[in-house]
Amino acid sequence: MLCNNLPTRAAFLAFAAFTAPAWGQTIYSTDFSDLAGWTTSSSFAGFDWQSDATPAAGSCSAPPFRSAPASLNFNDGTTFGPVTQGISGSVTSPVLILDPARPTARATFWFSLDHEIGCSFDSTWIEILDAGTGAMLDRRCLQSAVETYDCSWKQARVPLDPAWGSIQLQFSCYAVDQNNNSGRGPFIDDLVVDYDCGTDSEFVCSGAPSSAYSWMLGNPGGSRLEADGSPSINAGV
């Protein structure tokens, strides 16, 4: 599909040895029915990122996936973390290659969080890594805009800078201590990586304001999500 009014600053996302697709085509997508090509790590045995639909119930009434039969989630099948200590875990995507000759790339996904809020307590992040060095290029906290507990499914879109070259997407979660870890944890689903005809300032998700999220830049290394549908700089991390 051809796009009109292509921006001057362009980016393209593809796997190595992958033929360049037509304008506007999806490059990578997964419904997390499995974790093919992804790698996981955890600081506590028995708790890890996995592809399944557990726990299905608990303190959160939202379904354990955005699209059946599974999602990407971090827990032990019952709760987010142990009652004896804090915990952390990460899951990392296959290598993706940004091409500066193409329109701006983006990662779009859905998330549901059933843990403490605030980004300084229990938190879940999307991180962009340099595939060659492992250096962190960008990092954003997934968080309710009004910082109140809300485990409903929400959509986020993250712009990807073409200057980064080869990258990997990483989802990381942290429980800073043993308190309040009885929730079912973070759930991620329906990830799509594509490239778009809009400018970097236009990454606002479609839908009603209550479910329309966009990444707000500023505060390098700790930007938050805003849900009002209007670009603004968020103070603090």
Side-chain angles (χ1 to χ4, degrees):
M1 178 180 70
L2 291 176
C3 295
N4 295 321
N5 300 319
L6 293 175
T8 301
R9 185 166 171 265
F12 169 68
L13 198 60
F15 286 107
F18 189 85
T19 301
W23 297 101
Q25 185 174 330
T26 297
I27 306 306
Y28 175 78
S29 66
T30 178
D31 63 358
F32 291 112
S33 56
D34 60 51
L35 291 184
W38 292 70
T39 58
T40 69
S41 64
S42 174
S43 65
F44 195 92
F47 293 81
D48 206 350
W49 287 97
Q50 54 214 327
S51 168
D52 62 21
T54 62
S59 57
C60 178
S61 60
F65 45 71
R66 173 68 183 178
S67 60
S71 66
L72 171 67
N73 55 81
F74 184 90
N75 51 62
D76 67 348
T78 304
T79 61
F80 172 50
V83 296
T84 56
Q85 65 178 69
I87 190 172
S88 63
S90 298
V91 57
T92 309
S93 78
V95 174
L96 307 174
I97 299 175
L98 292 160
D99 182 348
R102 299 289 182 170
T104 304
R106 61 184 179 180
T108 306
F109 59 93
W110 290 81
F111 67 94
S112 168
L113 305 180
D114 187 21
H115 56 53
E116 288 183 297
I117 63 173
C119 294
S120 57
F121 293 95
D122 298 347
S123 59
T124 303
W125 302 72
I126 181 170
E127 298 160 338
I128 315 300
L129 307 180
D130 183 294
T133 66
M136 191 174 298
L137 302 170
D138 199 7
R139 186 172 191 248
R140 313 294 177 93
C141 181
L142 279 58
Q143 180 59 294
S144 172
V146 293
E147 297 194 3
T148 58
Y149 173 80
D150 177 7
C151 71
S152 63
W153 284 95
K154 302 172 183 65
Q155 190 182 47
R157 293 182 185 176
V158 183
L160 303 173
D161 190 332
W164 289 336
S166 298
I167 64 168
Q168 291 174 282
L169 306 182
Q170 180 170 276
F171 293 99
S172 297
C173 63
Y174 304 88
V176 298
D177 56 32
Q178 71 274 19
N179 299 319
N180 301 315
N181 292 342
S182 60
R184 66 183 186 181
F187 283 63
I188 310 292
D189 209 356
D190 296 341
L191 170 68
V192 176
V193 178
D194 62 8
Y195 49 98
D196 180 67
C197 297
T199 63
D200 285 351
S201 63
E202 294 172 346
F203 285 94
V204 178
C205 301
S206 60
S210 61
S211 62
Y213 277 69
S214 61
W215 289 114
M216 299 297 100
L217 302 182
N219 303 311
S223 299
R224 287 184 184 170
L225 276 174
E226 287 295 328
D228 60 5
S230 302
S232 62
I233 301 300
N234 183 281
V237 296

